[in-house]
């Protein structure tokens, strides 16, 4: 951070007069910030919301718009699924592990139906219809989707039910979510200060009492009588922080609004905050899950490594962390044709060949590599079996000539995917680790004590997750724990 | 850390009188601490060395005793190898990456021959003879070993030369190294205070000026006029810290003296220190490299995943981080017989079978999995080729009945391996990440500024490494940067 504005906190004694005063100051206007502000306002606090960009939305507005919700929501019930908080909790602990946050996952699961209702009460639309195939985001406006609950090994761990609640939208739903929450904010007395970047915390006797910020070229000071809530997002846009904490994410495309520079995390660390799981990341890889599930995904020497019907985010993590993104989708003509046109996102194979031998040569694999893998796959697929990775029989069928290959590293994400579709290096990532917080959003120090006056939520924190990631858990825990942080801050 | 002694620093104003005063206070008597103390003493400073155990040695004394040294040491030359600092640097940046510390690696490589001489001048013995086969530690007293410099892909990246300098010893050499360094310490005026655990740093006007420690049931205070050097080791013994920063290491065996609780790291963080690469770990897996290299290592579905002639530490990291340790060594009778008896460490296969089909059934692999992998391997091995993973022709030969399998997860390390040979879960780990330091051992804060009076070296710091690990780089950078930290502290 050298040669930049230091993050070390300012002593309140150095501030002669504050430019602004409020009860609760929320930094960052994504889904966590909006939720915190709305709940602090509802609890009777004066609230100011700072946003570095010229308008609200943050990275949340660029997201797919899935919310991981369950335990028997009206959407699940309308689609004919029963679910319980216990099964949801079991799934999340397995999918977000190892060592996901048990307390957060438990509370989040138990209060999921109530949280769904809060979202709906604020105007968030969900449609009671199921998209029944692995995908990043349904190409339709379907409101419910599987997040791999029905794939191996998860169906053995928890009773499967689809829990991906997708905000109703043409294309990505994050912008709809943020439009709705922003609309709710405008109906309150919450002050929204855009183009305002928080730089340092202000401390008084070990308590966070405000923030020094920059508004264009001007330094502005804020006093927060009750609390500061950091909802500034992760650090995927900060190459130096990535290299220090998550080196495998360096150099890839980033799924963000460009402002995920980790400043909020570091500002809090500078007043003693602890962090965790800083190496973890979500990895969105450039492929069409509908093609992958009907064919296979292999590494650079033609080996399969996962059941292709699992949630594609888990495939992405395996592809990056275990195979350095050198992965290929192998499929046949029938598989390609079976994918509905609007689900193809315009993607076409990079290589086509009549024989696997020819395809091996084209994509520079050892002679025999694909022939062996596809041979083994086909031998069992004929009987609807996959003893290697346990893909569901629904997606198993011997692959036949002509064959095709998609090079995931080329990056072929459609424009809706975050940074405009370049999918730098074949993947777009964001960070999952961050500040250690209680379920009420209190930021903990290295002794596990809450730092007075400091709260946080969203991707600036380590939320439900440890290493694993399922989409819907960022908007999900951002709004859920954002709300709780807003309430807690308003009561200080 | 709740319900324990807090790590938050003490204000010097609260200390009425110090129990001890010195110029340089070194915390932790492993190789980094001994080196720091010796150099600070040599520079004319008064030095006190604190050690929580009842004697020096630390985890260093339990290590194999390899030092990664090169650039043309007398040992390399005596064995007929030429080497340069540039080639050493290229290898280390590749093997310790992604994003290894370029400044540290560069300096370490350029000064490696001089560092070798310092070690020898202090009495550390190295023997000019080469052990010419992949191993954790030579079963002989040979003093030079390959660390995978001659294996793919490293021989393509840097001119190969063996750089593993193994302290002469029967068995593990770490105890010899520490005996020699301790002997050197006793010849100085360095005060060694054992059974003394540092708990909190003492701060005066933003400067570290001392330490509060515990000696049995007594609280003792130390004033350090010039500097405090933290050489307390990593955090592999602290389950909570592992879960927060390196969840994949939780539950495995630990390679330490039991005192690697991360306290030194957290004490420094509590005065503002930054950390990096906290998720990284060395992974020693329970296998005999000489067996693996003559056979193969496969995952739970029979897939090879690495060239078996690479340094076994890199195999260990791949086995844990990419295959969750569910890995097997597959070999045939000839391979087993070829391993010299004293290199076998008493290890015998868990399963033996006349056919691969039978072996698959015994070890619960999909029918055909091993038959395919061994078939492909043999087909190319016949011509001395391995197009999949590029193992050297020297180790390639078609495997033939009868076959055998070793279950790495069972943990079969010989007693010399760290914790007494249980090899909990088939692996013994330690952490690589830690405090961010300059090449002079100054501890950096979140703004990249040095914290006055605070130094660190060894596994309490992030050293040469990012994610990768080659043995010899812990004793290597511990002693090298320990020395530099001692010098810098003595000059404050």
């Amino acid at each position: 951070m050298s040669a930049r504005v230091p993050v070390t906190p300012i002593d309140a004694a150095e501030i002669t007069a504050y430019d602004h005063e409020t009860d609760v100051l929320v930094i960052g206007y994504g889904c966590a910030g909006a939720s915190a502000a709305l709940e602090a306002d509802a609890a009777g606090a004066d609230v100011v919301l700072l946003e570095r960009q010229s308008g609200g939305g943050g990275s949340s507005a660029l997201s797919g718009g899935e919310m991981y919700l369950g335990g028997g929501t009206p959407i699940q019930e309308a689609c004919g699924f029963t679910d319980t908080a216990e099964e949801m909790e079991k799934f999340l602990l397995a999918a977000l592990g190892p060592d996901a946050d048990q307390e957060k996952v438990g509370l989040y699961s138990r209060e999921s139906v109530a949280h769904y209702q809060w979202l709906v009460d604020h105007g968030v639309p969900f449609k009671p219809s199921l998209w029944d195939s692995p995908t990043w985001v349904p190409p339709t406006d379907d409101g419910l989707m599987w997040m791999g609950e029905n794939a191996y090994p998860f169906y053995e761990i928890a009773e499967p039910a689809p829990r991906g609640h997708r905000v109703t939208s043409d294309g990505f739903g994050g912008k709809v979510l943020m439009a709705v929450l922003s609309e709710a904010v405008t109906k309150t007395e919450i002050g929204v200060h855009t183009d305002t970047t928080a730089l340092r915390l202000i401390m008084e006797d070990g308590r966070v009492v405000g923030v020094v910020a920059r508004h264009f070229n001007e330094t502005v000071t804020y006093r927060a009588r009750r609390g500061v809530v950091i909802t500034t997002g992760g650090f995927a846009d900060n190459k130096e922080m990535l290299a220090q904490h998550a080196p495998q994410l360096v150099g890839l495309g980033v799924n963000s609004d460009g402002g995920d520079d980790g400043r909020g995390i570091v500002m809090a660390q500078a007043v003693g905050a602890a962090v965790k799981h800083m190496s973890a990341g979500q990895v969105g890889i450039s492929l069409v899950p509908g093609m992958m599930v009907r064919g296979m995904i292999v590494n650079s020497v033609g080996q399969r490594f996962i059941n292709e019907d699992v949630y594609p985010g888990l495939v992405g993590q395996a592809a990056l962390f275990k195979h350095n993104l050198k992965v290929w989708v192998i499929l046949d003509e029938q598989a390609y044709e079976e994918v509905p046109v609007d689900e193809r996102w315009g993607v076409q194979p990079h290589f086509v060949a009549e024989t696997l031998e020819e395809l091996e040569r084209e994509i520079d694999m050892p002679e025999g590599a694909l022939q062996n893998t596809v041979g083994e796959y086909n031998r069992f697929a004929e009987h609807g079996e996959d003893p290697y990775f346990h893909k569901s029989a629904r997606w198993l069928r011997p692959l036949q000539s002509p064959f095709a290959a998609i090079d995931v590293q080329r990056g072929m994400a459609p424009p809706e995917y975050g940074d405009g579709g370049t999918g730098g290096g074949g993947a777009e990532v964001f960070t999952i680790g961050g500040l250690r917080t209680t379920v009420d959003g209190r930021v903990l120090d290295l002794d596990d004590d809450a730092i007075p006056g400091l709260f946080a939520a969203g991707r600036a924190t380590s939320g439900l997750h440890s290493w694993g990631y399922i989409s819907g858990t960022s908007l999900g825990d951002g709004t859920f724990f954002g709300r709780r942080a807003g309430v807690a801050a308003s009561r200080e």
Side-chain angles (χ1 to χ4, degrees), chain A:
Chain A
M1 304 277 145
S2 269
R4 282 163 255 168
V5 181
V7 293
T8 39
I10 301 279
D11 192 310
E14 293 178 33
I15 311 285
T16 47
Y18 288 89
D19 297 307
H20 304 277
E21 291 210 20
T22 184
D23 291 330
V24 175
L25 182 71
V26 180
I27 312 174
Y29 194 172
C31 76
S35 302
L38 286 169
E39 290 288 71
D41 172 79
D46 284 343
V47 182
V48 170
L49 190 44
L50 302 190
E51 169 56 42
R52 66 191 303 162
Q53 312 282 13
S54 52
S59 299
S60 304
L62 300 171
S63 72
E66 297 103 342
M67 294 264 193
Y68 200 83
L69 298 166
T73 67
I75 296 293
Q76 289 180 306
E77 288 177 359
C79 291
F81 294 97
T82 55
D83 191 16
T84 67
E86 291 70 32
E87 298 305 315
M88 176 175 172
E89 181 176 355
K90 278 191 258 177
F91 173 80
L92 284 175
L93 288 176
L96 307 182
D99 208 54
D101 191 312
Q102 296 202 18
E103 194 184 355
K104 284 183 180 172
V105 169
L107 186 69
Y108 180 79
S109 302
R110 289 193 299 279
E111 302 200 0
S112 189
V113 172
H115 186 53
Y116 167 87
Q117 201 53 55
W118 183 87
L119 292 164
V120 169
D121 289 347
H122 281 76
V124 180
F126 296 104
K127 191 182 155 195
S129 61
L130 178 75
W131 173 262
D132 190 24
S133 167
T135 185
W136 293 109
V137 177
T140 59
D141 65 353
D142 286 322
L144 191 63
M145 59 188 283
W146 292 96
M147 293 297 190
E149 298 91 342
N150 56 351
Y152 179 86
F154 302 108
Y155 63 70
E156 291 186 346
I157 293 167
E159 190 65 39
R163 300 193 189 91
H165 286 62
R166 184 274 198 95
V167 176
T168 311
S169 171
D170 288 338
F172 278 25
K175 57 187 182 299
V176 174
L177 172 71
M178 287 312 300
V180 169
L181 293 180
S182 300
E183 174 70 16
V185 167
T186 59
K187 290 181 183 155
T188 67
E189 298 296 309
I190 296 167
V192 177
H193 296 197
T194 55
D195 299 304
T196 305
T197 306
L199 295 176
R200 303 170 80 166
L201 296 172
I202 301 170
M203 299 294 288
E204 190 171 68
D205 298 330
R207 182 183 173 82
V208 176
V209 296
V211 160
V212 176
R214 193 177 50 218
H215 179 63
F216 297 112
N217 292 324
E218 208 180 327
T219 296
V220 279
T221 53
Y222 290 83
R223 180 168 177 83
R225 288 180 291 260
R226 300 193 189 172
V228 170
V229 186
I230 292 176
T231 57
T232 48
F235 56 98
D237 289 312
N238 185 326
K239 272 186 193 166
E240 198 181 322
M241 279 185 79
L242 284 184
Q244 288 162 6
H245 305 297
Q248 292 179 302
L249 304 186
V250 174
L252 299 171
V254 172
N255 198 309
S256 85
D257 68 346
D260 289 357
D261 67 356
R263 181 87 189 185
I265 296 171
V266 183
M267 274 196 303
Q269 285 186 286
V271 302
V275 295
K276 66 178 186 179
H277 300 151
M278 293 287 278
S279 63
Q282 140 74 2
V283 184
I285 53 175
S286 296
L287 52 74
V288 177
M291 294 185 190
M292 172 177 66
V293 77
R294 289 172 174 86
M296 59 173 64
I297 188 163
V298 299
N299 65 15
S300 63
V301 290
Q303 297 170 327
R304 287 176 71 211
F305 53 90
I306 200 164
N307 44 328
E308 294 85 355
D309 56 348
V310 80
Y311 181 68
L314 297 184
V315 180
Q317 289 188 319
L320 176 61
F321 297 129
K322 302 184 178 179
H323 301 282
N324 204 21
L325 269 187
K326 290 169 183 162
V327 296
W328 299 83
V329 172
I330 306 294
L331 68 173
D332 63 4
E333 191 168 29
Q334 182 182 337
Y336 181 80
E337 295 297 339
E338 273 177 17
V339 179
V341 172
D342 58 359
E343 195 192 337
R344 290 186 201 162
W345 302 99
V347 167
Q348 300 215 336
H350 296 112
F351 297 91
V352 181
E354 289 300 317
T355 68
L356 291 168
E357 203 178 344
E358 197 184 318
L359 194 59
E360 285 162 358
R361 277 198 303 271
E362 286 183 0
I363 64 177
D364 203 23
M365 276 191 196
E367 176 258 311
L370 283 179
Q371 296 171 68
N372 268 278
T373 298
V374 176
E376 277 294 278
Y377 180 88
N378 284 355
R379 187 162 68 89
F380 288 104
E382 211 155 336
H383 311 290
E385 287 168 15
D386 174 20
Y388 286 86
F389 297 100
H390 310 285
K391 181 159 67 173
S392 162
R394 173 179 170 190
W395 304 109
L396 291 166
R397 168 183 66 73
L399 302 177
Q400 299 167 51
S401 172
F403 300 99
I406 295 169
D407 180 356
V408 173
Q409 279 201 301
R410 296 201 182 185
M412 48 195 321
E416 286 88 342
Y417 277 72
D419 76 353
T422 64
E428 284 189 356
V429 299
F430 58 84
T431 58
I432 305 175
L435 299 168
R436 272 168 59 197
T437 53
T438 68
V439 292
D440 292 314
R442 288 176 197 278
V443 177
L444 297 174
D445 69 14
L446 295 156
D447 285 319
D448 257 359
D449 295 323
I451 297 172
L454 191 61
F455 300 82
R459 282 295 63 83
T461 69
S462 178
L464 305 166
H465 324 78
S466 166
W467 188 84
Y469 189 82
I470 291 290
S471 288
T473 54
S474 280
L475 298 184
D477 88 355
T479 51
F480 182 79
F481 292 108
R483 289 175 57 200
R484 296 183 65 92
V487 170
S490 70
R491 288 184 184 156
E492 278 277 288

